[in-house]
Amino acid sequence: MWESEGEARGGGREHGIGCLDPDRHDGVESDGFECRNESRRYASSDIPSDLLVKVRGASFHLHKYPLLSRSGRMNRIICESSRDSELIEVELNDIPGGPESFELAAKFCYGFAVDLTASNISGLRSAAEYLEMTEDLEEGNLIFKTEAFLSYVVLSSWRDSIVVLKSCESLSPWAENIQIVRRCSESIAWKACANPRGIRWAYTGRPTRTCSPKWNSGDSKDSSPGKNQPVPPDWWFEDVSILRIDHFVRVVTAIKVKGMRFDLIGAAIMHYASKWLPGLAKEGARGSDDAWNQGGLHLTVAGSANKEDLSSSQIREQRMVIESLISIIPPQKDSVSCCFLLRMLRLANILKVAPALGTELEKRVGMQLEQATLQDLLIPSYNRGETSYDVDLVHRLLEHFLVQEQTEASSPGREPYPEKCGYDANSRPSVPIAKLRVAKLLDSYLTEVSRDRNLSLTKFQVLAEALPDSARTCDDGLYRAVDSYLKAHPTLTEHERKRLCRVMDCQKLSIDACTHAAQNERLPLRVVVQVLFSEQLKISNAIANASLKEAGESHLQPMMCTRRQLLEGTPQSFQEGWATAKKDINTLKFEMESMKAKYLELQSDMDNLQRQFEKMASTKSSKQSLSAWSAGWKKLSKLTKITSAVAHDKGAQIPETGVAETTRKGPRRWRNSIS
């Protein structure tokens, strides 16, 4: 679309400027330059050349006056050179556009006809800036002419804007400094966001076999739809995808400012990534890890099988592409698919992108983790000596998902997605459904990674307990993962097996899972008992619910039925499960009674030994106490003798009054009492 009048008439866009000789001639010498060999060009004139300009291996034999009259830089160089020498030699290896642009500028200085096209305008405009061909030297100089062509011809055409921006890749920083990149990016953004109805259709973005579209293809019927055919919203994807990553970022940034729908911007980013990063293709991700490595670790060089085959420049280029794409992904949820984000994350880990961008990408994955698939979540661990898959990365994704869920739950007044963005607010899964999907995905992931012998019990347990208990309504998937881990790690101790089984809730197991667990020899005995109890409880509840349902349907039947009738009314699978569970329970009861009898016998023996020990201890202590008592008694008798002697001496000194008083009192009479 956006054709000029010259393109509409079927002709090419060629504009002559600075035509001092308006006549056009065929042949090599029609423009006034001779090519005597591949690297030497001579201005056709009877006057011998007095100026030799070398540009990147090409030599131009020219004259001083035509160049110094229109180029400020050449004027200074010629004036500073030696005036005595007949031939002045100048090297301009840093001129933008190279020999081609300098040749066009030299033709303009000589007054020859110069054909401006979208392919050479950016190089010629940069060369004119380098040579300082301004209006101060001559009116209508080369800068003025090229600026007019850019403003009035190139920027009004979609095709020419793309071509000019593509040609600016080799003109840094000149094209950036003279605003060619900015103006072309804004022109492309304005045309991509404009309503294509009523505008002449001629876009270049049809699927092609080569990497870049055919700009001047004459087969317009294949690339242009009919007048009544609607324009697809992604008509501009293929055109902008040929641009270098920095120019693509400029275009997408300008498109965001114009107000493009975020889902279209995300689709354009995915299209660009699929073209420049073939490893993100869906086929490569669905295959084995070798197929992924073969398809995902090269940019434009075919045959690169792994990271070691890439050169350092290719690795830097890939890293720059991934980091740039991460930085321009729209912040809205669902702007790009979760599978695309996970594949980007896989490549980002391989190429060691900036940690901040890697964390940002992980947050984006966590925002829509419920859309992920198991195959995309199996990201290999590229650190040697660790697990086969990056379990820590998945744990971080779960943390980001839970943070996002809490944020959404704390903002109930958040507005739904508008219909103009292409999303229905009612079709968006609710928070519980998202958690259920993530829990199911996590159980499948645990089952897959549990086969890795290098996976530690702590990592498995932490990952299994990352989600809250409310996220799972059934623990069958978690039981399957636990059983797979026990099978892959047969050397676990009894304590470790009990610790592993704590991650699942036996009450949330289905009847089939309970039946399997009751016969699983890898589970600890305590867990088997819990499973059997849970299975019995479920069967009893099922029978009770069935009986209540039958009672509700028939009001004439009694509310309570016999056990035999209930069993006859249940399905055969329930009856078989109940019989198996009953047999296992009886076996466990018998074993528990045996263990109880052995315990009582051991307790009796222990009591006998305790009594014998106490008897021996008491005998020994009695002998020791007797010897101590005899020694104490001897000391006491000796003390008594001394005391009595002292008392006898004191008794002789008692006065007679005291004796008389004692005799006067007389003997004490006891009181008669009935008691």
Side-chain angles (χ1 to χ4, degrees):
M1 56 189 303
W2 308 100
E3 286 185 326
S4 64
E5 296 180 358
E7 287 179 324
R9 290 193 297 266
R13 180 181 286 108
E14 296 180 354
H15 302 265
I17 63 172
C19 298
L20 300 180
D21 185 7
D23 297 333
R24 298 177 61 87
H25 306 280
D26 296 331
V28 178
E29 301 182 14
S30 61
D31 55 1
F33 276 79
E34 297 179 358
C35 293
R36 298 181 181 179
N37 52 42
E38 295 181 357
S39 61
R40 291 182 178 273
R41 296 173 177 84
Y42 293 84
S44 57
S45 175
D46 296 337
I47 303 174
S49 62
D50 55 359
L51 178 63
L52 175 61
V53 181
K54 294 182 178 180
V55 181
R56 302 177 189 175
S59 300
F60 295 88
H61 296 265
L62 307 173
H63 302 85
K64 300 177 184 178
Y65 179 74
L67 272 69
L68 62 85
S69 62
R70 295 192 178 186
S71 171
R73 178 182 287 265
M74 294 301 298
N75 194 340
R76 290 197 310 272
I77 293 175
I78 293 173
C79 293
E80 292 173 359
S81 301
S82 177
R83 300 180 181 179
D84 298 335
S85 59
E86 297 181 356
L87 181 63
I88 299 176
E89 184 175 341
V90 179
E91 291 188 3
L92 300 177
N93 293 324
D94 56 345
I95 184 173
E100 295 80 8
S101 298
F102 179 77
E103 183 177 356
L104 293 176
K107 289 180 180 179
F108 177 80
C109 291
Y110 275 90
F112 299 137
V114 178
D115 296 329
L116 290 183
T117 63
S119 301
N120 62 20
I121 184 61
S122 59
L124 187 56
R125 173 66 182 87
S126 301
E129 189 73 19
Y130 176 86
L131 295 173
E132 301 175 9
M133 303 176 70
T134 62
E135 295 294 296
D136 297 336
L137 298 176
E138 184 176 340
E139 186 177 357
N141 210 341
L142 187 57
I143 291 180
F144 175 80
K145 297 285 186 179
T146 52
E147 276 293 330
F149 185 83
L150 278 171
S151 301
Y152 296 105
V153 179
V154 171
L155 298 181
S156 63
S157 171
W158 168 264
R159 291 189 183 187
D160 290 348
S161 299
I162 293 289
V163 174
V164 170
L165 189 56
K166 179 68 177 176
S167 65
C168 290
E169 296 176 359
S170 59
L171 300 174
S172 299
W174 291 94
E176 191 76 33
N177 295 336
I178 60 180
Q179 305 297 321
I180 297 179
V181 174
R182 181 188 61 80
R183 289 184 290 175
C184 289
S185 300
E186 292 181 353
S187 174
I188 294 170
W190 182 81
K191 294 175 176 60
C193 296
N195 190 352
R197 295 179 181 178
I199 302 176
R200 187 175 184 84
W201 177 267
Y203 76 110
T204 59
R206 63 174 181 174
T208 56
R209 296 180 181 179
T210 58
C211 293
S212 59
K214 297 179 180 179
W215 303 104
N216 296 325
S217 176
D219 190 5
S220 60
K221 294 182 180 180
D222 296 337
S223 61
S224 302
K227 294 182 179 180
N228 297 328
Q229 186 175 353
V231 178
D234 59 348
W235 64 269
W236 52 277
F237 288 3
E238 185 66 25
D239 287 345
V240 299
S241 65
I242 70 169
L243 301 175
R244 199 173 62 184
I245 182 61
D246 54 340
H247 294 163
F248 177 77
V249 170
R250 293 288 296 269
V251 171
V252 171
T253 304
I255 287 176
K256 285 183 180 180
V257 175
K258 303 294 182 184
M260 173 72 74
R261 290 163 43 191
F262 67 85
D263 56 332
L264 283 179
I265 296 176
I269 293 173
M270 290 191 291
H271 182 84
Y272 186 91
S274 65
K275 190 167 187 176
W276 290 88
L277 301 171
L280 297 176
K282 193 172 183 179
E283 294 78 12
R286 295 299 177 190
S288 62
D289 293 339
D290 294 337
W292 170 266
N293 292 333
Q294 292 176 2
L297 297 177
H298 69 281
L299 184 59
T300 55
V301 181
S304 298
N306 49 41
K307 186 177 179 180
E308 287 74 12
D309 295 337
L310 290 174
S311 63
S312 58
S313 61
Q314 292 172 345
I315 293 176
R316 286 195 301 269
E317 189 176 0
Q318 267 201 333
R319 187 185 299 116
M320 183 178 64
V321 170
I322 293 178
E323 292 178 349
S324 301
L325 292 179
I326 294 174
S327 63
I328 62 174
I329 294 177
Q332 291 84 356
K333 186 177 180 179
D334 298 327
S335 58
V336 293
S337 66
C338 186
C339 293
F340 170 76
L341 292 173
L342 284 170
R343 292 167 191 162
M344 287 277 290
L345 187 58
R346 183 190 298 241
L347 273 181
N349 290 340
I350 296 174
L351 299 175
K352 307 295 183 183
V353 301
L357 292 175
T359 303
E360 180 64 25
L361 191 57
E362 292 177 4
K363 291 181 180 179
R364 294 302 307 270
V365 175
M367 289 174 58
Q368 48 198 94
L369 188 59
E370 69 275 7
Q371 304 172 6
T373 60
L374 176 61
Q375 194 66 30
D376 294 323
L377 205 60
L378 293 174
I379 300 177
S381 177
Y382 298 100
N383 296 326
R384 296 181 179 179
E386 296 187 358
T387 56
S388 300
Y389 298 102
D390 199 341
V391 180
D392 296 333
L393 173 62
V394 176
H395 186 258
R396 292 196 299 271
L397 296 180
L398 289 173
E399 290 179 348
H400 293 312
F401 169 76
L402 293 176
V403 171
Q404 177 66 22
E405 291 297 319
Q406 292 177 0
T407 304
E408 292 184 355
S410 61
S411 56
R414 186 168 50 88
E415 296 182 357
Y417 290 102
E419 296 181 358
K420 66 179 182 179
C421 295
Y423 295 95
D424 186 6
N426 297 327
S427 64
R428 185 173 176 269
S430 60
V431 174
I433 295 178
K435 283 187 177 180
L436 291 176
R437 291 178 180 175
V438 173
K440 185 177 180 181
L441 177 64
L442 178 60
D443 293 344
S444 301
Y445 180 81
L446 287 171
T447 304
E448 188 69 25
V449 301
S450 62
R451 304 184 181 96
D452 186 3
R453 295 184 179 272
N454 295 327
L455 180 62
S456 64
L457 176 60
T458 302
K459 283 191 175 183
F460 183 90
Q461 187 177 7
V462 169
L463 189 60
E465 296 175 349
L467 292 177
D469 296 337
S470 59
R472 293 184 179 92
T473 57
C474 180
D475 278 7
D476 286 4
L478 196 55
Y479 165 71
R480 195 177 297 110
V482 169
D483 184 51
S484 177
Y485 189 87
L486 290 173
K487 189 183 299 182
H489 301 78
T491 59
L492 292 178
T493 63
E494 183 71 15
H495 174 71
E496 290 175 339
R497 288 190 293 149
K498 290 181 180 179
R499 175 184 164 191
L500 175 64
C501 293
R502 291 195 194 104
V503 302
M504 64 179 181
D505 186 2
C506 298
Q507 301 293 331
K508 292 184 179 181
L509 296 178
S510 63
I511 295 179
D512 295 336
C514 290
T515 304
H516 183 276
Q519 303 173 0
N520 194 343
E521 298 178 354
R522 291 180 290 272
L523 296 178
L525 182 61
R526 182 182 181 88
V527 177
V528 174
V529 173
Q530 293 178 357
V531 169
L532 290 174
F533 178 77
S534 175
E535 184 180 11
Q536 182 182 8
L537 186 62
K538 286 184 176 62
I539 294 175
S540 301
N541 292 335
I543 294 173
N545 292 333
S547 63
L548 291 176
K549 185 177 180 180
E550 292 178 359
E553 293 177 355
S554 177
H555 297 283
L556 299 177
Q557 295 181 357
M559 292 297 294
M560 299 300 295
C561 300
T562 63
R563 182 182 180 87
R564 185 174 181 181
Q565 291 176 351
L566 289 174
L567 290 175
E568 290 178 356
T570 56
Q572 186 67 22
S573 59
F574 283 161
Q575 295 182 14
E576 294 176 357
W578 169 252
T580 305
K582 186 176 181 180
K583 186 184 298 183
D584 294 337
I585 292 173
N586 292 333
T587 303
L588 290 174
K589 285 182 178 180
F590 177 75
E591 292 178 356
M592 291 179 66
E593 292 294 336
S594 301
M595 292 178 63
K596 186 176 181 180
K598 291 181 180 180
Y599 174 76
L600 293 175
E601 184 179 354
L602 292 174
Q603 185 69 25
S604 177
D605 296 340
M606 183 65 186
D607 293 339
N608 294 333
L609 292 174
Q610 184 70 22
R611 284 194 297 270
Q612 293 178 6
F613 177 77
E614 291 177 355
K615 185 177 181 180
M616 294 174 63
S618 62
T619 304
K620 186 176 180 179
S621 62
S622 63
K623 291 181 179 180
Q624 293 177 355
S625 62
L626 182 60
S627 60
W629 172 259
S630 60
W633 178 256
K634 290 179 181 180
K635 292 180 180 180
L636 183 61
S637 61
K638 189 181 293 185
L639 181 62
T640 306
K641 290 179 180 180
I642 296 172
T643 306
S644 61
V646 173
H648 184 267
D649 294 339
K650 289 182 178 181
Q653 298 176 1
I654 297 175
E656 294 181 358
T657 56
V659 174
E661 186 178 358
T662 304
T663 56
R664 189 170 51 248
K665 287 183 177 180
R668 183 179 181 182
R669 295 182 181 182
W670 295 95
R671 184 179 179 182
N672 296 329
S673 176
I674 297 175
S675 60

